[in-house]
PDB file of all heavy atoms in Angstrom:
ATOM      1  N   GLU A  77      65.284 253.653  77.904  1.00 97.00           N
ATOM      2  CA  GLU A  77      66.159 254.378  78.826  1.00 97.00           C
ATOM      3  C   GLU A  77      66.056 255.896  78.653  1.00 97.00           C
ATOM      4  O   GLU A  77      67.062 256.620  78.693  1.00 97.00           O
ATOM      5  CB  GLU A  77      67.615 253.916  78.664  1.00 97.00           C
ATOM      6  CG  GLU A  77      67.797 252.439  79.001  1.00 97.00           C
ATOM      7  CD  GLU A  77      69.236 251.971  78.861  1.00 97.00           C
ATOM      8  OE1 GLU A  77      70.076 252.744  78.344  1.00 97.00           O
ATOM      9  OE2 GLU A  77      69.524 250.824  79.257  1.00 97.00           O
ATOM     10  N   GLY A  78      64.840 256.385  78.446  1.00 97.00           N
ATOM     11  CA  GLY A  78      64.606 257.822  78.407  1.00 97.00           C
ATOM     12  C   GLY A  78      64.916 258.497  77.091  1.00 97.00           C
ATOM     13  O   GLY A  78      64.802 259.729  76.986  1.00 97.00           O
ATOM     14  N   LYS A  79      65.281 257.746  76.088  1.00 98.00           N
ATOM     15  CA  LYS A  79      65.619 258.349  74.798  1.00 98.00           C
ATOM     16  C   LYS A  79      64.366 258.800  74.058  1.00 98.00           C
ATOM     17  O   LYS A  79      63.255 258.386  74.366  1.00 98.00           O
ATOM     18  CB  LYS A  79      66.423 257.359  73.954  1.00 98.00           C
ATOM     19  CG  LYS A  79      67.784 257.040  74.561  1.00 98.00           C
ATOM     20  CD  LYS A  79      68.532 255.990  73.751  1.00 98.00           C
ATOM     21  CE  LYS A  79      69.875 255.681  74.402  1.00 98.00           C
ATOM     22  NZ  LYS A  79      70.592 254.587  73.710  1.00 98.00           N
ATOM     23  N   LYS A  80      64.589 259.625  73.049  1.00 98.00           N
ATOM     24  CA  LYS A  80      63.477 260.161  72.267  1.00 98.00           C
ATOM     25  C   LYS A  80      63.171 259.246  71.087  1.00 98.00           C
ATOM     26  O   LYS A  80      63.995 258.442  70.657  1.00 98.00           O
ATOM     27  CB  LYS A  80      63.817 261.564  71.761  1.00 98.00           C
ATOM     28  CG  LYS A  80      64.011 262.598  72.865  1.00 98.00           C
ATOM     29  CD  LYS A  80      64.415 263.950  72.267  1.00 98.00           C
ATOM     30  CE  LYS A  80      64.670 264.993  73.357  1.00 98.00           C
ATOM     31  NZ  LYS A  80      65.123 266.284  72.779  1.00 98.00           N
ATOM     32  N   ASP A  81      61.982 259.422  70.534  1.00 98.00           N
ATOM     33  CA  ASP A  81      61.578 258.708  69.321  1.00 98.00           C
ATOM     34  C   ASP A  81      62.573 259.050  68.198  1.00 98.00           C
ATOM     35  O   ASP A  81      62.750 260.213  67.853  1.00 98.00           O
ATOM     36  CB  ASP A  81      60.164 259.144  68.932  1.00 98.00           C
ATOM     37  CG  ASP A  81      59.497 258.182  67.955  1.00 98.00           C
ATOM     38  OD1 ASP A  81      60.180 257.318  67.399  1.00 98.00           O
ATOM     39  OD2 ASP A  81      58.269 258.322  67.753  1.00 98.00           O
ATOM     40  N   GLY A  82      63.219 258.032  67.645  1.00 98.00           N
ATOM     41  CA  GLY A  82      64.218 258.254  66.600  1.00 98.00           C
ATOM     42  C   GLY A  82      65.644 258.120  67.085  1.00 98.00           C
ATOM     43  O   GLY A  82      66.565 257.999  66.262  1.00 98.00           O
ATOM     44  N   GLU A  83      65.861 258.151  68.396  1.00 98.00           N
ATOM     45  CA  GLU A  83      67.204 257.933  68.943  1.00 98.00           C
ATOM     46  C   GLU A  83      67.452 256.437  69.087  1.00 98.00           C
ATOM     47  O   GLU A  83      66.624 255.704  69.612  1.00 98.00           O
ATOM     48  CB  GLU A  83      67.358 258.614  70.301  1.00 98.00           C
ATOM     49  CG  GLU A  83      67.433 260.121  70.235  1.00 98.00           C
ATOM     50  CD  GLU A  83      67.787 260.725  71.578  1.00 98.00           C
ATOM     51  OE1 GLU A  83      68.976 260.876  71.879  1.00 98.00           O
ATOM     52  OE2 GLU A  83      66.848 261.039  72.348  1.00 98.00           O
ATOM     53  N   LEU A  84      68.604 256.000  68.632  1.00 98.00           N
ATOM     54  CA  LEU A  84      68.941 254.576  68.633  1.00 98.00           C
ATOM     55  C   LEU A  84      69.147 254.052  70.045  1.00 98.00           C
ATOM     56  O   LEU A  84      69.839 254.665  70.855  1.00 98.00           O
ATOM     57  CB  LEU A  84      70.209 254.338  67.804  1.00 98.00           C
ATOM     58  CG  LEU A  84      70.753 252.905  67.786  1.00 98.00           C
ATOM     59  CD1 LEU A  84      69.754 251.941  67.164  1.00 98.00           C
ATOM     60  CD2 LEU A  84      72.086 252.862  67.036  1.00 98.00           C
ATOM     61  N   HIS A  85      68.554 252.884  70.300  1.00 98.00           N
ATOM     62  CA  HIS A  85      68.736 252.185  71.572  1.00 98.00           C
ATOM     63  C   HIS A  85      69.170 250.751  71.266  1.00 98.00           C
ATOM     64  O   HIS A  85      68.627 250.111  70.365  1.00 98.00           O
ATOM     65  CB  HIS A  85      67.427 252.176  72.368  1.00 98.00           C
ATOM     66  CG  HIS A  85      67.493 251.433  73.657  1.00 98.00           C
ATOM     67  ND1 HIS A  85      68.388 251.744  74.652  1.00 98.00           N
ATOM     68  CD2 HIS A  85      66.774 250.371  74.117  1.00 98.00           C
ATOM     69  CE1 HIS A  85      68.213 250.920  75.678  1.00 98.00           C
ATOM     70  NE2 HIS A  85      67.248 250.083  75.377  1.00 98.00           N
ATOM     71  N   GLN A  86      70.176 250.270  71.974  1.00 97.00           N
ATOM     72  CA  GLN A  86      70.675 248.911  71.771  1.00 97.00           C
ATOM     73  C   GLN A  86      70.681 248.157  73.104  1.00 97.00           C
ATOM     74  O   GLN A  86      71.657 248.186  73.839  1.00 97.00           O
ATOM     75  CB  GLN A  86      72.077 248.943  71.153  1.00 97.00           C
ATOM     76  CG  GLN A  86      72.079 249.506  69.732  1.00 97.00           C
ATOM     77  CD  GLN A  86      73.450 249.559  69.107  1.00 97.00           C
ATOM     78  OE1 GLN A  86      74.168 250.546  69.263  1.00 97.00           O
ATOM     79  NE2 GLN A  86      73.826 248.500  68.404  1.00 97.00           N
ATOM     80  N   PRO A  87      69.587 247.460  73.399  1.00 96.00           N
ATOM     81  CA  PRO A  87      69.474 246.788  74.701  1.00 96.00           C
ATOM     82  C   PRO A  87      70.356 245.561  74.854  1.00 96.00           C
ATOM     83  O   PRO A  87      70.603 245.125  75.970  1.00 96.00           O
ATOM     84  CB  PRO A  87      67.986 246.398  74.753  1.00 96.00           C
ATOM     85  CG  PRO A  87      67.569 246.296  73.329  1.00 96.00           C
ATOM     86  CD  PRO A  87      68.360 247.327  72.593  1.00 96.00           C
ATOM     87  N   LYS A  88      70.776 244.965  73.718  1.00 96.00           N
ATOM     88  CA  LYS A  88      71.622 243.767  73.735  1.00 96.00           C
ATOM     89  C   LYS A  88      70.983 242.639  74.556  1.00 96.00           C
ATOM     90  O   LYS A  88      71.622 242.004  75.400  1.00 96.00           O
ATOM     91  CB  LYS A  88      73.032 244.095  74.243  1.00 96.00           C
ATOM     92  CG  LYS A  88      73.771 245.073  73.348  1.00 96.00           C
ATOM     93  CD  LYS A  88      75.220 245.235  73.738  1.00 96.00           C
ATOM     94  CE  LYS A  88      75.917 246.266  72.866  1.00 96.00           C
ATOM     95  NZ  LYS A  88      75.935 245.910  71.441  1.00 96.00           N
ATOM     96  N   ILE A  89      69.699 242.434  74.297  1.00 97.00           N
ATOM     97  CA  ILE A  89      68.923 241.352  74.910  1.00 97.00           C
ATOM     98  C   ILE A  89      68.284 240.555  73.779  1.00 97.00           C
ATOM     99  O   ILE A  89      67.869 241.131  72.765  1.00 97.00           O
ATOM    100  CB  ILE A  89      67.823 241.909  75.843  1.00 97.00           C
ATOM    101  CG1 ILE A  89      68.431 242.791  76.935  1.00 97.00           C
ATOM    102  CG2 ILE A  89      67.004 240.774  76.470  1.00 97.00           C
ATOM    103  CD1 ILE A  89      67.390 243.537  77.772  1.00 97.00           C
ATOM    104  N   PHE A  90      68.205 239.249  73.919  1.00 98.00           N
ATOM    105  CA  PHE A  90      67.576 238.391  72.918  1.00 98.00           C
ATOM    106  C   PHE A  90      66.196 238.957  72.587  1.00 98.00           C
ATOM    107  O   PHE A  90      65.377 239.196  73.476  1.00 98.00           O
ATOM    108  CB  PHE A  90      67.469 236.976  73.478  1.00 98.00           C
ATOM    109  CG  PHE A  90      67.055 235.936  72.480  1.00 98.00           C
ATOM    110  CD1 PHE A  90      67.776 235.716  71.320  1.00 98.00           C
ATOM    111  CD2 PHE A  90      65.940 235.143  72.717  1.00 98.00           C
ATOM    112  CE1 PHE A  90      67.399 234.740  70.413  1.00 98.00           C
ATOM    113  CE2 PHE A  90      65.553 234.163  71.820  1.00 98.00           C
ATOM    114  CZ  PHE A  90      66.287 233.965  70.654  1.00 98.00           C
ATOM    115  N   THR A  91      65.929 239.202  71.317  1.00 98.00           N
ATOM    116  CA  THR A  91      64.747 239.996  70.950  1.00 98.00           C
ATOM    117  C   THR A  91      63.415 239.425  71.436  1.00 98.00           C
ATOM    118  O   THR A  91      62.572 240.196  71.915  1.00 98.00           O
ATOM    119  CB  THR A  91      64.692 240.251  69.429  1.00 98.00           C
ATOM    120  OG1 THR A  91      64.794 239.009  68.736  1.00 98.00           O
ATOM    121  CG2 THR A  91      65.812 241.169  68.991  1.00 98.00           C
ATOM    122  N   PRO A  92      63.136 238.126  71.335  1.00 98.00           N
ATOM    123  CA  PRO A  92      61.848 237.643  71.870  1.00 98.00           C
ATOM    124  C   PRO A  92      61.703 237.915  73.366  1.00 98.00           C
ATOM    125  O   PRO A  92      60.608 238.276  73.827  1.00 98.00           O
ATOM    126  CB  PRO A  92      61.880 236.140  71.580  1.00 98.00           C
ATOM    127  CG  PRO A  92      62.806 236.002  70.417  1.00 98.00           C
ATOM    128  CD  PRO A  92      63.858 237.035  70.636  1.00 98.00           C
ATOM    129  N   LYS A  93      62.790 237.764  74.110  1.00 98.00           N
ATOM    130  CA  LYS A  93      62.752 238.026  75.552  1.00 98.00           C
ATOM    131  C   LYS A  93      62.491 239.507  75.810  1.00 98.00           C
ATOM    132  O   LYS A  93      61.627 239.875  76.628  1.00 98.00           O
ATOM    133  CB  LYS A  93      64.069 237.615  76.193  1.00 98.00           C
ATOM    134  CG  LYS A  93      64.149 237.891  77.682  1.00 98.00           C
ATOM    135  CD  LYS A  93      65.493 237.444  78.266  1.00 98.00           C
ATOM    136  CE  LYS A  93      65.554 237.711  79.763  1.00 98.00           C
ATOM    137  NZ  LYS A  93      66.863 237.264  80.331  1.00 98.00           N
ATOM    138  N   ASN A  94      63.216 240.365  75.106  1.00 98.00           N
ATOM    139  CA  ASN A  94      63.078 241.812  75.289  1.00 98.00           C
ATOM    140  C   ASN A  94      61.677 242.292  74.936  1.00 98.00           C
ATOM    141  O   ASN A  94      61.047 243.044  75.690  1.00 98.00           O
ATOM    142  CB  ASN A  94      64.124 242.523  74.422  1.00 98.00           C
ATOM    143  CG  ASN A  94      64.098 244.019  74.598  1.00 98.00           C
ATOM    144  OD1 ASN A  94      64.091 244.527  75.718  1.00 98.00           O
ATOM    145  ND2 ASN A  94      64.067 244.739  73.491  1.00 98.00           N
ATOM    146  N   GLU A  95      61.172 241.839  73.789  1.00 98.00           N
ATOM    147  CA  GLU A  95      59.845 242.280  73.347  1.00 98.00           C
ATOM    148  C   GLU A  95      58.742 241.731  74.242  1.00 98.00           C
ATOM    149  O   GLU A  95      57.759 242.433  74.530  1.00 98.00           O
ATOM    150  CB  GLU A  95      59.626 241.867  71.898  1.00 98.00           C
ATOM    151  CG  GLU A  95      60.496 242.653  70.922  1.00 98.00           C
ATOM    152  CD  GLU A  95      60.714 241.966  69.583  1.00 98.00           C
ATOM    153  OE1 GLU A  95      60.024 240.952  69.320  1.00 98.00           O
ATOM    154  OE2 GLU A  95      61.579 242.421  68.811  1.00 98.00           O
ATOM    155  N   ALA A  96      58.887 240.489  74.699  1.00 98.00           N
ATOM    156  CA  ALA A  96      57.893 239.918  75.613  1.00 98.00           C
ATOM    157  C   ALA A  96      57.811 240.741  76.904  1.00 98.00           C
ATOM    158  O   ALA A  96      56.716 240.985  77.430  1.00 98.00           O
ATOM    159  CB  ALA A  96      58.225 238.462  75.919  1.00 98.00           C
ATOM    160  N   GLN A  97      58.976 241.179  77.414  1.00 98.00           N
ATOM    161  CA  GLN A  97      58.987 242.007  78.625  1.00 98.00           C
ATOM    162  C   GLN A  97      58.231 243.311  78.393  1.00 98.00           C
ATOM    163  O   GLN A  97      57.441 243.751  79.254  1.00 98.00           O
ATOM    164  CB  GLN A  97      60.432 242.322  79.032  1.00 98.00           C
ATOM    165  CG  GLN A  97      61.199 241.128  79.587  1.00 98.00           C
ATOM    166  CD  GLN A  97      62.668 241.446  79.830  1.00 98.00           C
ATOM    167  OE1 GLN A  97      63.209 242.420  79.310  1.00 98.00           O
ATOM    168  NE2 GLN A  97      63.327 240.602  80.611  1.00 98.00           N
ATOM    169  N   LYS A  98      58.451 243.916  77.240  1.00 98.00           N
ATOM    170  CA  LYS A  98      57.790 245.189  76.938  1.00 98.00           C
ATOM    171  C   LYS A  98      56.281 244.992  76.752  1.00 98.00           C
ATOM    172  O   LYS A  98      55.476 245.849  77.150  1.00 98.00           O
ATOM    173  CB  LYS A  98      58.397 245.821  75.686  1.00 98.00           C
ATOM    174  CG  LYS A  98      59.877 246.158  75.819  1.00 98.00           C
ATOM    175  CD  LYS A  98      60.111 247.156  76.938  1.00 98.00           C
ATOM    176  CE  LYS A  98      61.578 247.501  77.130  1.00 98.00           C
ATOM    177  NZ  LYS A  98      62.371 246.431  77.736  1.00 98.00           N
ATOM    178  N   ILE A  99      55.891 243.879  76.178  1.00 98.00           N
ATOM    179  CA  ILE A  99      54.460 243.599  76.002  1.00 98.00           C
ATOM    180  C   ILE A  99      53.791 243.366  77.348  1.00 98.00           C
ATOM    181  O   ILE A  99      52.677 243.860  77.589  1.00 98.00           O
ATOM    182  CB  ILE A  99      54.264 242.388  75.068  1.00 98.00           C
ATOM    183  CG1 ILE A  99      54.682 242.756  73.641  1.00 98.00           C
ATOM    184  CG2 ILE A  99      52.806 241.918  75.087  1.00 98.00           C
ATOM    185  CD1 ILE A  99      54.745 241.586  72.690  1.00 98.00           C
ATOM    186  N   VAL A 100      54.458 242.644  78.236  1.00 98.00           N
ATOM    187  CA  VAL A 100      53.910 242.424  79.578  1.00 98.00           C
ATOM    188  C   VAL A 100      53.708 243.759  80.291  1.00 98.00           C
ATOM    189  O   VAL A 100      52.664 244.002  80.919  1.00 98.00           O
ATOM    190  CB  VAL A 100      54.835 241.489  80.385  1.00 98.00           C
ATOM    191  CG1 VAL A 100      54.460 241.508  81.873  1.00 98.00           C
ATOM    192  CG2 VAL A 100      54.762 240.063  79.846  1.00 98.00           C
ATOM    193  N   GLU A 101      54.687 244.652  80.193  1.00 97.00           N
ATOM    194  CA  GLU A 101      54.564 245.973  80.812  1.00 97.00           C
ATOM    195  C   GLU A 101      53.409 246.766  80.192  1.00 97.00           C
ATOM    196  O   GLU A 101      52.679 247.474  80.900  1.00 97.00           O
ATOM    197  CB  GLU A 101      55.877 246.743  80.648  1.00 97.00           C
ATOM    198  CG  GLU A 101      57.024 246.154  81.464  1.00 97.00           C
ATOM    199  CD  GLU A 101      58.377 246.739  81.072  1.00 97.00           C
ATOM    200  OE1 GLU A 101      58.414 247.680  80.247  1.00 97.00           O
ATOM    201  OE2 GLU A 101      59.401 246.226  81.578  1.00 97.00           O
ATOM    202  N   TYR A 102      53.247 246.636  78.883  1.00 98.00           N
ATOM    203  CA  TYR A 102      52.135 247.318  78.203  1.00 98.00           C
ATOM    204  C   TYR A 102      50.792 246.788  78.697  1.00 98.00           C
ATOM    205  O   TYR A 102      49.858 247.560  78.954  1.00 98.00           O
ATOM    206  CB  TYR A 102      52.272 247.107  76.690  1.00 98.00           C
ATOM    207  CG  TYR A 102      51.130 247.663  75.876  1.00 98.00           C
ATOM    208  CD1 TYR A 102      51.068 249.014  75.555  1.00 98.00           C
ATOM    209  CD2 TYR A 102      50.117 246.829  75.414  1.00 98.00           C
ATOM    210  CE1 TYR A 102      50.015 249.526  74.797  1.00 98.00           C
ATOM    211  CE2 TYR A 102      49.065 247.337  74.650  1.00 98.00           C
ATOM    212  CZ  TYR A 102      49.021 248.678  74.350  1.00 98.00           C
ATOM    213  OH  TYR A 102      47.981 249.180  73.604  1.00 98.00           O
ATOM    214  N   LEU A 103      50.688 245.473  78.846  1.00 98.00           N
ATOM    215  CA  LEU A 103      49.441 244.886  79.322  1.00 98.00           C
ATOM    216  C   LEU A 103      49.146 245.288  80.773  1.00 98.00           C
ATOM    217  O   LEU A 103      47.998 245.518  81.140  1.00 98.00           O
ATOM    218  CB  LEU A 103      49.503 243.358  79.193  1.00 98.00           C
ATOM    219  CG  LEU A 103      49.536 242.809  77.758  1.00 98.00           C
ATOM    220  CD1 LEU A 103      49.786 241.308  77.772  1.00 98.00           C
ATOM    221  CD2 LEU A 103      48.233 243.120  77.025  1.00 98.00           C
ATOM    222  N   GLN A 104      50.185 245.378  81.590  1.00 97.00           N
ATOM    223  CA  GLN A 104      49.998 245.786  82.985  1.00 97.00           C
ATOM    224  C   GLN A 104      49.609 247.254  83.089  1.00 97.00           C
ATOM    225  O   GLN A 104      48.925 247.659  84.035  1.00 97.00           O
ATOM    226  CB  GLN A 104      51.290 245.520  83.764  1.00 97.00           C
ATOM    227  CG  GLN A 104      51.591 244.034  83.937  1.00 97.00           C
ATOM    228  CD  GLN A 104      52.952 243.770  84.569  1.00 97.00           C
ATOM    229  OE1 GLN A 104      53.810 244.667  84.620  1.00 97.00           O
ATOM    230  NE2 GLN A 104      53.173 242.549  85.039  1.00 97.00           N
ATOM    231  N   ASN A 105      50.069 248.048  82.150  1.00 96.00           N
ATOM    232  CA  ASN A 105      49.659 249.454  82.012  1.00 96.00           C
ATOM    233  C   ASN A 105      49.910 250.272  83.275  1.00 96.00           C
ATOM    234  O   ASN A 105      49.101 251.132  83.655  1.00 96.00           O
ATOM    235  CB  ASN A 105      48.177 249.534  81.618  1.00 96.00           C
ATOM    236  CG  ASN A 105      47.824 250.866  80.970  1.00 96.00           C
ATOM    237  OD1 ASN A 105      48.678 251.526  80.388  1.00 96.00           O
ATOM    238  ND2 ASN A 105      46.557 251.253  81.082  1.00 96.00           N
ATOM    239  N   LYS A 106      51.039 250.046  83.895  1.00 92.00           N
ATOM    240  CA  LYS A 106      51.348 250.759  85.136  1.00 92.00           C
ATOM    241  C   LYS A 106      51.578 252.248  84.905  1.00 92.00           C
ATOM    242  O   LYS A 106      51.397 253.069  85.801  1.00 92.00           O
ATOM    243  CB  LYS A 106      52.576 250.127  85.795  1.00 92.00           C
ATOM    244  CG  LYS A 106      52.320 248.726  86.336  1.00 92.00           C
ATOM    245  CD  LYS A 106      53.568 248.130  86.964  1.00 92.00           C
ATOM    246  CE  LYS A 106      53.302 246.731  87.495  1.00 92.00           C
ATOM    247  NZ  LYS A 106      54.528 246.108  88.076  1.00 92.00           N
ATOM    248  N   ASN A 107      51.979 252.592  83.685  1.00 91.00           N
ATOM    249  CA  ASN A 107      52.257 253.995  83.375  1.00 91.00           C
ATOM    250  C   ASN A 107      51.119 254.664  82.586  1.00 91.00           C
ATOM    251  O   ASN A 107      51.303 255.745  82.024  1.00 91.00           O
ATOM    252  CB  ASN A 107      53.558 254.107  82.580  1.00 91.00           C
ATOM    253  CG  ASN A 107      54.749 253.637  83.385  1.00 91.00           C
ATOM    254  OD1 ASN A 107      54.905 253.990  84.551  1.00 91.00           O
ATOM    255  ND2 ASN A 107      55.595 252.821  82.757  1.00 91.00           N
ATOM    256  N   SER A 108      49.963 253.992  82.556  1.00 93.00           N
ATOM    257  CA  SER A 108      48.759 254.530  81.891  1.00 93.00           C
ATOM    258  C   SER A 108      49.045 254.957  80.447  1.00 93.00           C
ATOM    259  O   SER A 108      48.652 256.036  79.999  1.00 93.00           O
ATOM    260  CB  SER A 108      48.200 255.721  82.689  1.00 93.00           C
ATOM    261  OG  SER A 108      47.855 255.321  83.995  1.00 93.00           O
ATOM    262  N   GLU A 109      49.714 254.074  79.727  1.00 92.00           N
ATOM    263  CA  GLU A 109      50.061 254.380  78.332  1.00 92.00           C
ATOM    264  C   GLU A 109      48.975 253.940  77.353  1.00 92.00           C
ATOM    265  O   GLU A 109      49.100 254.139  76.148  1.00 92.00           O
ATOM    266  CB  GLU A 109      51.400 253.726  77.990  1.00 92.00           C
ATOM    267  CG  GLU A 109      52.562 254.460  78.618  1.00 92.00           C
ATOM    268  CD  GLU A 109      53.738 253.549  78.956  1.00 92.00           C
ATOM    269  OE1 GLU A 109      53.575 252.320  78.969  1.00 92.00           O
ATOM    270  OE2 GLU A 109      54.819 254.084  79.242  1.00 92.00           O
ATOM    271  N   ARG A 110      47.936 253.336  77.855  1.00 95.00           N
ATOM    272  CA  ARG A 110      46.766 253.024  77.041  1.00 95.00           C
ATOM    273  C   ARG A 110      45.517 253.198  77.897  1.00 95.00           C
ATOM    274  O   ARG A 110      45.606 253.272  79.131  1.00 95.00           O
ATOM    275  CB  ARG A 110      46.839 251.595  76.491  1.00 95.00           C
ATOM    276  CG  ARG A 110      46.845 250.493  77.545  1.00 95.00           C
ATOM    277  CD  ARG A 110      46.994 249.122  76.896  1.00 95.00           C
ATOM    278  NE  ARG A 110      47.060 248.057  77.896  1.00 95.00           N
ATOM    279  CZ  ARG A 110      46.012 247.427  78.405  1.00 95.00           C
ATOM    280  NH1 ARG A 110      44.785 247.750  78.000  1.00 95.00           N
ATOM    281  NH2 ARG A 110      46.161 246.478  79.309  1.00 95.00           N
ATOM    282  N   ASP A 111      44.385 253.245  77.264  1.00 96.00           N
ATOM    283  CA  ASP A 111      43.106 253.428  77.945  1.00 96.00           C
ATOM    284  C   ASP A 111      42.541 252.050  78.277  1.00 96.00           C
ATOM    285  O   ASP A 111      42.160 251.292  77.376  1.00 96.00           O
ATOM    286  CB  ASP A 111      42.155 254.197  77.028  1.00 96.00           C
ATOM    287  CG  ASP A 111      40.832 254.539  77.706  1.00 96.00           C
ATOM    288  OD1 ASP A 111      40.541 253.956  78.768  1.00 96.00           O
ATOM    289  OD2 ASP A 111      40.091 255.370  77.151  1.00 96.00           O
ATOM    290  N   ASN A 112      42.483 251.725  79.558  1.00 95.00           N
ATOM    291  CA  ASN A 112      41.995 250.404  79.976  1.00 95.00           C
ATOM    292  C   ASN A 112      40.545 250.150  79.587  1.00 95.00           C
ATOM    293  O   ASN A 112      40.096 249.000  79.572  1.00 95.00           O
ATOM    294  CB  ASN A 112      42.143 250.246  81.495  1.00 95.00           C
ATOM    295  CG  ASN A 112      43.552 249.873  81.900  1.00 95.00           C
ATOM    296  OD1 ASN A 112      44.259 249.190  81.159  1.00 95.00           O
ATOM    297  ND2 ASN A 112      43.973 250.329  83.067  1.00 95.00           N
ATOM    298  N   ASN A 113      39.814 251.209  79.294  1.00 95.00           N
ATOM    299  CA  ASN A 113      38.412 251.044  78.908  1.00 95.00           C
ATOM    300  C   ASN A 113      38.249 250.680  77.437  1.00 95.00           C
ATOM    301  O   ASN A 113      37.142 250.374  76.992  1.00 95.00           O
ATOM    302  CB  ASN A 113      37.632 252.332  79.207  1.00 95.00           C
ATOM    303  CG  ASN A 113      37.558 252.612  80.699  1.00 95.00           C
ATOM    304  OD1 ASN A 113      37.294 251.705  81.493  1.00 95.00           O
ATOM    305  ND2 ASN A 113      37.809 253.849  81.079  1.00 95.00           N
ATOM    306  N   LYS A 114      39.346 250.746  76.698  1.00 97.00           N
ATOM    307  CA  LYS A 114      39.310 250.405  75.278  1.00 97.00           C
ATOM    308  C   LYS A 114      39.908 249.021  75.048  1.00 97.00           C
ATOM    309  O   LYS A 114      40.820 248.609  75.769  1.00 97.00           O
ATOM    310  CB  LYS A 114      40.117 251.423  74.462  1.00 97.00           C
ATOM    311  CG  LYS A 114      39.531 252.808  74.372  1.00 97.00           C
ATOM    312  CD  LYS A 114      40.427 253.659  73.472  1.00 97.00           C
ATOM    313  CE  LYS A 114      39.879 255.059  73.285  1.00 97.00           C
ATOM    314  NZ  LYS A 114      40.751 255.852  72.368  1.00 97.00           N
ATOM    315  N   PRO A 115      39.444 248.320  74.034  1.00 98.00           N
ATOM    316  CA  PRO A 115      40.139 247.103  73.630  1.00 98.00           C
ATOM    317  C   PRO A 115      41.445 247.486  72.935  1.00 98.00           C
ATOM    318  O   PRO A 115      41.638 248.636  72.547  1.00 98.00           O
ATOM    319  CB  PRO A 115      39.170 246.441  72.653  1.00 98.00           C
ATOM    320  CG  PRO A 115      38.386 247.577  72.079  1.00 98.00           C
ATOM    321  CD  PRO A 115      38.283 248.608  73.172  1.00 98.00           C
TER     322      PRO A 115
END
């Protein structure tokens, strides 16, 4: 939610569900947060 590295965030979502959502977003790479040409 726009916070900085080190600022506490409490999503209050079951952790496997929350982390799976974030991993899916990372794999989709809509925000170009990784280089698609790299493994």
